[in-house]
Amino acid sequence: MNEFRRITDTFYASPQIDPEQVAEAKAQGFTLIVNNRPDGEEPGQPEGSAIESAAREAGLDYIAIPVSSAGFSQPQVEALRDALGKAEGKVLGFCRSGTRSTFLWSLSQAADGAEPDTVAAAARSGGYDVSPIRPAMDALSANARG
């Protein structure tokens, strides 16, 4: 059973996945898996390389953009913006709970000039509260809109 949570029609967030869930992601039409969890964060978590191998074997694209407890940086936001721009279908982002993936997605959308209220509503629809990063979203969105 997966916990792939719909944020938009093209972006979903999930708690930690394992290599066996990659086939399920493929069956549900995902084309890209984004790993936002650093390896070794918690004992027993699957290594990113195992998930990447499963993704590649299933014909899915895979990118690791780890977000540690140190927080988010502009290069991470840019990496996700780039990955989303190149994705040719649905994207599944995962971390321990899905929160970091949703936060990073929200920041990337704001950096593209999306309205922060709209982005926050989409995150809420998937069960995530982006209020801790709302000031950064507001700043990125305002900057993108000039």
PDB file of all heavy atoms in Angstrom, residues 110-144:
ATOM      1  N   ALA A 110       6.922  28.683  -6.226  1.00  0.00           N
ATOM      2  CA  ALA A 110       7.000  30.113  -5.907  1.00  0.00           C
ATOM      3  C   ALA A 110       8.107  30.774  -6.723  1.00  0.00           C
ATOM      4  O   ALA A 110       7.936  31.891  -7.231  1.00  0.00           O
ATOM      5  CB  ALA A 110       7.230  30.308  -4.410  1.00  0.00           C
ATOM      6  N   ALA A 111       9.231  30.087  -6.878  1.00  0.00           N
ATOM      7  CA  ALA A 111      10.343  30.637  -7.662  1.00  0.00           C
ATOM      8  C   ALA A 111       9.969  30.795  -9.133  1.00  0.00           C
ATOM      9  O   ALA A 111      10.561  31.608  -9.836  1.00  0.00           O
ATOM     10  CB  ALA A 111      11.579  29.751  -7.521  1.00  0.00           C
ATOM     11  N   ASP A 112       8.976  30.026  -9.570  1.00  0.00           N
ATOM     12  CA  ASP A 112       8.466  30.172 -10.936  1.00  0.00           C
ATOM     13  C   ASP A 112       7.411  31.271 -11.034  1.00  0.00           C
ATOM     14  O   ASP A 112       6.862  31.504 -12.107  1.00  0.00           O
ATOM     15  CB  ASP A 112       7.844  28.859 -11.424  1.00  0.00           C
ATOM     16  CG  ASP A 112       8.879  27.866 -11.915  1.00  0.00           C
ATOM     17  OD1 ASP A 112      10.013  28.282 -12.236  1.00  0.00           O
ATOM     18  OD2 ASP A 112       8.550  26.664 -11.995  1.00  0.00           O
ATOM     19  N   GLY A 113       7.092  31.913  -9.894  1.00  0.00           N
ATOM     20  CA  GLY A 113       6.130  33.001  -9.891  1.00  0.00           C
ATOM     21  C   GLY A 113       4.709  32.608  -9.548  1.00  0.00           C
ATOM     22  O   GLY A 113       3.789  33.418  -9.657  1.00  0.00           O
ATOM     23  N   ALA A 114       4.519  31.357  -9.114  1.00  0.00           N
ATOM     24  CA  ALA A 114       3.171  30.929  -8.738  1.00  0.00           C
ATOM     25  C   ALA A 114       2.692  31.706  -7.513  1.00  0.00           C
ATOM     26  O   ALA A 114       3.484  32.115  -6.667  1.00  0.00           O
ATOM     27  CB  ALA A 114       3.154  29.426  -8.440  1.00  0.00           C
ATOM     28  N   GLU A 115       1.389  31.880  -7.435  1.00  0.00           N
ATOM     29  CA  GLU A 115       0.769  32.567  -6.312  1.00  0.00           C
ATOM     30  C   GLU A 115       0.899  31.694  -5.054  1.00  0.00           C
ATOM     31  O   GLU A 115       0.440  30.549  -5.051  1.00  0.00           O
ATOM     32  CB  GLU A 115      -0.706  32.842  -6.631  1.00  0.00           C
ATOM     33  CG  GLU A 115      -1.530  33.345  -5.489  1.00  0.00           C
ATOM     34  CD  GLU A 115      -0.994  34.611  -4.853  1.00  0.00           C
ATOM     35  OE1 GLU A 115      -0.632  35.548  -5.592  1.00  0.00           O
ATOM     36  OE2 GLU A 115      -0.914  34.645  -3.615  1.00  0.00           O
ATOM     37  N   PRO A 116       1.516  32.199  -3.995  1.00  0.00           N
ATOM     38  CA  PRO A 116       1.726  31.390  -2.792  1.00  0.00           C
ATOM     39  C   PRO A 116       0.444  30.808  -2.187  1.00  0.00           C
ATOM     40  O   PRO A 116       0.463  29.679  -1.684  1.00  0.00           O
ATOM     41  CB  PRO A 116       2.419  32.352  -1.825  1.00  0.00           C
ATOM     42  CG  PRO A 116       3.176  33.268  -2.732  1.00  0.00           C
ATOM     43  CD  PRO A 116       2.244  33.477  -3.913  1.00  0.00           C
ATOM     44  N   ASP A 117      -0.664  31.539  -2.240  1.00  0.00           N
ATOM     45  CA  ASP A 117      -1.917  30.994  -1.703  1.00  0.00           C
ATOM     46  C   ASP A 117      -2.358  29.761  -2.485  1.00  0.00           C
ATOM     47  O   ASP A 117      -2.846  28.788  -1.901  1.00  0.00           O
ATOM     48  CB  ASP A 117      -3.029  32.043  -1.732  1.00  0.00           C
ATOM     49  CG  ASP A 117      -2.855  33.123  -0.679  1.00  0.00           C
ATOM     50  OD1 ASP A 117      -2.134  32.889   0.314  1.00  0.00           O
ATOM     51  OD2 ASP A 117      -3.440  34.218  -0.852  1.00  0.00           O
ATOM     52  N   THR A 118      -2.177  29.792  -3.793  1.00  0.00           N
ATOM     53  CA  THR A 118      -2.547  28.655  -4.643  1.00  0.00           C
ATOM     54  C   THR A 118      -1.648  27.459  -4.349  1.00  0.00           C
ATOM     55  O   THR A 118      -2.118  26.319  -4.245  1.00  0.00           O
ATOM     56  CB  THR A 118      -2.442  29.052  -6.129  1.00  0.00           C
ATOM     57  OG1 THR A 118      -3.284  30.181  -6.357  1.00  0.00           O
ATOM     58  CG2 THR A 118      -2.838  27.907  -7.041  1.00  0.00           C
ATOM     59  N   VAL A 119      -0.359  27.717  -4.203  1.00  0.00           N
ATOM     60  CA  VAL A 119       0.597  26.652  -3.891  1.00  0.00           C
ATOM     61  C   VAL A 119       0.282  26.051  -2.523  1.00  0.00           C
ATOM     62  O   VAL A 119       0.254  24.824  -2.363  1.00  0.00           O
ATOM     63  CB  VAL A 119       2.047  27.192  -3.932  1.00  0.00           C
ATOM     64  CG1 VAL A 119       3.042  26.144  -3.457  1.00  0.00           C
ATOM     65  CG2 VAL A 119       2.395  27.666  -5.337  1.00  0.00           C
ATOM     66  N   ALA A 120       0.004  26.900  -1.537  1.00  0.00           N
ATOM     67  CA  ALA A 120      -0.313  26.423  -0.187  1.00  0.00           C
ATOM     68  C   ALA A 120      -1.588  25.585  -0.191  1.00  0.00           C
ATOM     69  O   ALA A 120      -1.668  24.562   0.501  1.00  0.00           O
ATOM     70  CB  ALA A 120      -0.441  27.601   0.778  1.00  0.00           C
ATOM     71  N   ALA A 121      -2.571  25.988  -0.978  1.00  0.00           N
ATOM     72  CA  ALA A 121      -3.817  25.223  -1.056  1.00  0.00           C
ATOM     73  C   ALA A 121      -3.573  23.842  -1.669  1.00  0.00           C
ATOM     74  O   ALA A 121      -4.136  22.841  -1.211  1.00  0.00           O
ATOM     75  CB  ALA A 121      -4.858  25.992  -1.864  1.00  0.00           C
ATOM     76  N   ALA A 122      -2.729  23.782  -2.691  1.00  0.00           N
ATOM     77  CA  ALA A 122      -2.410  22.493  -3.310  1.00  0.00           C
ATOM     78  C   ALA A 122      -1.704  21.586  -2.296  1.00  0.00           C
ATOM     79  O   ALA A 122      -2.036  20.403  -2.180  1.00  0.00           O
ATOM     80  CB  ALA A 122      -1.538  22.695  -4.543  1.00  0.00           C
ATOM     81  N   ALA A 123      -0.758  22.141  -1.552  1.00  0.00           N
ATOM     82  CA  ALA A 123      -0.053  21.355  -0.530  1.00  0.00           C
ATOM     83  C   ALA A 123      -1.036  20.851   0.528  1.00  0.00           C
ATOM     84  O   ALA A 123      -0.984  19.688   0.941  1.00  0.00           O
ATOM     85  CB  ALA A 123       1.053  22.188   0.106  1.00  0.00           C
ATOM     86  N   ARG A 124      -1.946  21.727   0.952  1.00  0.00           N
ATOM     87  CA  ARG A 124      -2.955  21.338   1.955  1.00  0.00           C
ATOM     88  C   ARG A 124      -3.822  20.203   1.447  1.00  0.00           C
ATOM     89  O   ARG A 124      -4.195  19.313   2.210  1.00  0.00           O
ATOM     90  CB  ARG A 124      -3.847  22.541   2.305  1.00  0.00           C
ATOM     91  CG  ARG A 124      -3.561  23.161   3.631  1.00  0.00           C
ATOM     92  CD  ARG A 124      -4.603  24.176   4.090  1.00  0.00           C
ATOM     93  NE  ARG A 124      -5.175  25.031   3.059  1.00  0.00           N
ATOM     94  CZ  ARG A 124      -4.593  26.130   2.572  1.00  0.00           C
ATOM     95  NH1 ARG A 124      -3.424  26.528   3.021  1.00  0.00           N
ATOM     96  NH2 ARG A 124      -5.203  26.835   1.640  1.00  0.00           N
ATOM     97  N   SER A 125      -4.127  20.223   0.147  1.00  0.00           N
ATOM     98  CA  SER A 125      -4.979  19.166  -0.414  1.00  0.00           C
ATOM     99  C   SER A 125      -4.317  17.795  -0.290  1.00  0.00           C
ATOM    100  O   SER A 125      -4.997  16.775  -0.260  1.00  0.00           O
ATOM    101  CB  SER A 125      -5.322  19.469  -1.872  1.00  0.00           C
ATOM    102  OG  SER A 125      -4.212  19.230  -2.725  1.00  0.00           O
ATOM    103  N   GLY A 126      -2.989  17.785  -0.211  1.00  0.00           N
ATOM    104  CA  GLY A 126      -2.262  16.534  -0.029  1.00  0.00           C
ATOM    105  C   GLY A 126      -1.965  16.228   1.428  1.00  0.00           C
ATOM    106  O   GLY A 126      -1.322  15.232   1.740  1.00  0.00           O
ATOM    107  N   GLY A 127      -2.395  17.108   2.322  1.00  0.00           N
ATOM    108  CA  GLY A 127      -2.198  16.880   3.756  1.00  0.00           C
ATOM    109  C   GLY A 127      -0.964  17.543   4.326  1.00  0.00           C
ATOM    110  O   GLY A 127      -0.528  17.178   5.425  1.00  0.00           O
ATOM    111  N   TYR A 128      -0.393  18.511   3.623  1.00  0.00           N
ATOM    112  CA  TYR A 128       0.829  19.168   4.088  1.00  0.00           C
ATOM    113  C   TYR A 128       0.598  20.652   4.355  1.00  0.00           C
ATOM    114  O   TYR A 128      -0.102  21.326   3.585  1.00  0.00           O
ATOM    115  CB  TYR A 128       1.955  18.993   3.051  1.00  0.00           C
ATOM    116  CG  TYR A 128       2.338  17.548   2.857  1.00  0.00           C
ATOM    117  CD1 TYR A 128       1.881  16.830   1.765  1.00  0.00           C
ATOM    118  CD2 TYR A 128       3.140  16.897   3.788  1.00  0.00           C
ATOM    119  CE1 TYR A 128       2.219  15.494   1.585  1.00  0.00           C
ATOM    120  CE2 TYR A 128       3.490  15.560   3.617  1.00  0.00           C
ATOM    121  CZ  TYR A 128       3.015  14.874   2.523  1.00  0.00           C
ATOM    122  OH  TYR A 128       3.353  13.553   2.357  1.00  0.00           O
ATOM    123  N   ASP A 129       1.207  21.139   5.408  1.00  0.00           N
ATOM    124  CA  ASP A 129       1.114  22.537   5.819  1.00  0.00           C
ATOM    125  C   ASP A 129       2.437  23.220   5.499  1.00  0.00           C
ATOM    126  O   ASP A 129       3.468  22.881   6.085  1.00  0.00           O
ATOM    127  CB  ASP A 129       0.828  22.614   7.319  1.00  0.00           C
ATOM    128  CG  ASP A 129       0.830  24.026   7.867  1.00  0.00           C
ATOM    129  OD1 ASP A 129       0.801  25.000   7.083  1.00  0.00           O
ATOM    130  OD2 ASP A 129       0.866  24.170   9.105  1.00  0.00           O
ATOM    131  N   VAL A 130       2.411  24.182   4.593  1.00  0.00           N
ATOM    132  CA  VAL A 130       3.638  24.857   4.188  1.00  0.00           C
ATOM    133  C   VAL A 130       3.852  26.184   4.918  1.00  0.00           C
ATOM    134  O   VAL A 130       4.747  26.957   4.551  1.00  0.00           O
ATOM    135  CB  VAL A 130       3.703  25.074   2.656  1.00  0.00           C
ATOM    136  CG1 VAL A 130       3.756  23.732   1.932  1.00  0.00           C
ATOM    137  CG2 VAL A 130       2.557  25.929   2.164  1.00  0.00           C
ATOM    138  N   SER A 131       3.071  26.443   5.964  1.00  0.00           N
ATOM    139  CA  SER A 131       3.212  27.728   6.661  1.00  0.00           C
ATOM    140  C   SER A 131       4.623  27.989   7.195  1.00  0.00           C
ATOM    141  O   SER A 131       5.049  29.147   7.213  1.00  0.00           O
ATOM    142  CB  SER A 131       2.164  27.877   7.771  1.00  0.00           C
ATOM    143  OG  SER A 131       2.290  26.871   8.737  1.00  0.00           O
ATOM    144  N   PRO A 132       5.407  26.972   7.591  1.00  0.00           N
ATOM    145  CA  PRO A 132       6.771  27.272   8.053  1.00  0.00           C
ATOM    146  C   PRO A 132       7.666  27.897   6.978  1.00  0.00           C
ATOM    147  O   PRO A 132       8.631  28.581   7.313  1.00  0.00           O
ATOM    148  CB  PRO A 132       7.316  25.912   8.497  1.00  0.00           C
ATOM    149  CG  PRO A 132       6.111  25.111   8.846  1.00  0.00           C
ATOM    150  CD  PRO A 132       5.063  25.562   7.853  1.00  0.00           C
ATOM    151  N   ILE A 133       7.357  27.660   5.714  1.00  0.00           N
ATOM    152  CA  ILE A 133       8.184  28.223   4.641  1.00  0.00           C
ATOM    153  C   ILE A 133       7.463  29.328   3.881  1.00  0.00           C
ATOM    154  O   ILE A 133       7.964  29.809   2.867  1.00  0.00           O
ATOM    155  CB  ILE A 133       8.672  27.129   3.654  1.00  0.00           C
ATOM    156  CG1 ILE A 133       7.479  26.437   2.992  1.00  0.00           C
ATOM    157  CG2 ILE A 133       9.605  26.145   4.348  1.00  0.00           C
ATOM    158  CD1 ILE A 133       7.823  25.690   1.729  1.00  0.00           C
ATOM    159  N   ARG A 134       6.322  29.748   4.382  1.00  0.00           N
ATOM    160  CA  ARG A 134       5.523  30.751   3.663  1.00  0.00           C
ATOM    161  C   ARG A 134       6.297  32.054   3.407  1.00  0.00           C
ATOM    162  O   ARG A 134       6.215  32.599   2.302  1.00  0.00           O
ATOM    163  CB  ARG A 134       4.216  31.020   4.404  1.00  0.00           C
ATOM    164  CG  ARG A 134       3.284  31.985   3.707  1.00  0.00           C
ATOM    165  CD  ARG A 134       2.932  31.500   2.283  1.00  0.00           C
ATOM    166  NE  ARG A 134       2.245  32.533   1.547  1.00  0.00           N
ATOM    167  CZ  ARG A 134       0.936  32.581   1.360  1.00  0.00           C
ATOM    168  NH1 ARG A 134       0.163  31.636   1.873  1.00  0.00           N
ATOM    169  NH2 ARG A 134       0.406  33.556   0.684  1.00  0.00           N
ATOM    170  N   PRO A 135       7.063  32.584   4.373  1.00  0.00           N
ATOM    171  CA  PRO A 135       7.813  33.805   4.065  1.00  0.00           C
ATOM    172  C   PRO A 135       8.780  33.625   2.881  1.00  0.00           C
ATOM    173  O   PRO A 135       8.899  34.517   2.035  1.00  0.00           O
ATOM    174  CB  PRO A 135       8.567  34.108   5.359  1.00  0.00           C
ATOM    175  CG  PRO A 135       7.726  33.495   6.437  1.00  0.00           C
ATOM    176  CD  PRO A 135       7.174  32.239   5.799  1.00  0.00           C
ATOM    177  N   ALA A 136       9.430  32.481   2.807  1.00  0.00           N
ATOM    178  CA  ALA A 136      10.341  32.221   1.678  1.00  0.00           C
ATOM    179  C   ALA A 136       9.553  32.095   0.376  1.00  0.00           C
ATOM    180  O   ALA A 136       9.990  32.587  -0.675  1.00  0.00           O
ATOM    181  CB  ALA A 136      11.159  30.957   1.933  1.00  0.00           C
ATOM    182  N   MET A 137       8.400  31.452   0.428  1.00  0.00           N
ATOM    183  CA  MET A 137       7.558  31.346  -0.767  1.00  0.00           C
ATOM    184  C   MET A 137       7.135  32.727  -1.244  1.00  0.00           C
ATOM    185  O   MET A 137       7.190  33.020  -2.445  1.00  0.00           O
ATOM    186  CB  MET A 137       6.317  30.490  -0.473  1.00  0.00           C
ATOM    187  CG  MET A 137       6.585  29.022  -0.290  1.00  0.00           C
ATOM    188  SD  MET A 137       5.127  28.111   0.322  1.00  0.00           S
ATOM    189  CE  MET A 137       3.873  28.544  -0.865  1.00  0.00           C
ATOM    190  N   ASP A 138       6.708  33.565  -0.315  1.00  0.00           N
ATOM    191  CA  ASP A 138       6.280  34.925  -0.680  1.00  0.00           C
ATOM    192  C   ASP A 138       7.419  35.688  -1.349  1.00  0.00           C
ATOM    193  O   ASP A 138       7.223  36.361  -2.365  1.00  0.00           O
ATOM    194  CB  ASP A 138       5.793  35.686   0.553  1.00  0.00           C
ATOM    195  CG  ASP A 138       4.468  35.156   1.101  1.00  0.00           C
ATOM    196  OD1 ASP A 138       3.722  34.474   0.364  1.00  0.00           O
ATOM    197  OD2 ASP A 138       4.180  35.420   2.292  1.00  0.00           O
ATOM    198  N   ALA A 139       8.619  35.592  -0.774  1.00  0.00           N
ATOM    199  CA  ALA A 139       9.779  36.302  -1.316  1.00  0.00           C
ATOM    200  C   ALA A 139      10.150  35.777  -2.704  1.00  0.00           C
ATOM    201  O   ALA A 139      10.409  36.570  -3.624  1.00  0.00           O
ATOM    202  CB  ALA A 139      10.963  36.194  -0.363  1.00  0.00           C
ATOM    203  N   LEU A 140      10.185  34.461  -2.861  1.00  0.00           N
ATOM    204  CA  LEU A 140      10.534  33.889  -4.162  1.00  0.00           C
ATOM    205  C   LEU A 140       9.511  34.266  -5.230  1.00  0.00           C
ATOM    206  O   LEU A 140       9.877  34.613  -6.358  1.00  0.00           O
ATOM    207  CB  LEU A 140      10.645  32.366  -4.062  1.00  0.00           C
ATOM    208  CG  LEU A 140      11.873  31.814  -3.347  1.00  0.00           C
ATOM    209  CD1 LEU A 140      11.712  30.336  -3.056  1.00  0.00           C
ATOM    210  CD2 LEU A 140      13.122  32.066  -4.175  1.00  0.00           C
ATOM    211  N   SER A 141       8.236  34.205  -4.872  1.00  0.00           N
ATOM    212  CA  SER A 141       7.192  34.531  -5.821  1.00  0.00           C
ATOM    213  C   SER A 141       7.246  35.997  -6.223  1.00  0.00           C
ATOM    214  O   SER A 141       7.155  36.329  -7.403  1.00  0.00           O
ATOM    215  CB  SER A 141       5.819  34.189  -5.231  1.00  0.00           C
ATOM    216  OG  SER A 141       4.797  34.477  -6.156  1.00  0.00           O
ATOM    217  N   ALA A 142       7.424  36.878  -5.239  1.00  0.00           N
ATOM    218  CA  ALA A 142       7.517  38.311  -5.533  1.00  0.00           C
ATOM    219  C   ALA A 142       8.729  38.608  -6.414  1.00  0.00           C
ATOM    220  O   ALA A 142       8.644  39.395  -7.363  1.00  0.00           O
ATOM    221  CB  ALA A 142       7.595  39.106  -4.228  1.00  0.00           C
ATOM    222  N   ASN A 143       9.829  37.965  -6.123  1.00  0.00           N
ATOM    223  CA  ASN A 143      11.050  38.162  -6.920  1.00  0.00           C
ATOM    224  C   ASN A 143      10.848  37.684  -8.360  1.00  0.00           C
ATOM    225  O   ASN A 143      11.286  38.335  -9.310  1.00  0.00           O
ATOM    226  CB  ASN A 143      12.225  37.429  -6.275  1.00  0.00           C
ATOM    227  CG  ASN A 143      13.540  37.741  -6.944  1.00  0.00           C
ATOM    228  OD1 ASN A 143      13.879  38.898  -7.129  1.00  0.00           O
ATOM    229  ND2 ASN A 143      14.268  36.700  -7.319  1.00  0.00           N
ATOM    230  N   ALA A 144      10.170  36.548  -8.525  1.00  0.00           N
ATOM    231  CA  ALA A 144       9.956  36.000  -9.858  1.00  0.00           C
ATOM    232  C   ALA A 144       9.026  36.886 -10.685  1.00  0.00           C
ATOM    233  O   ALA A 144       9.157  36.968 -11.905  1.00  0.00           O
ATOM    234  CB  ALA A 144       9.365  34.591  -9.760  1.00  0.00           C
TER     235      ALA A 144
END
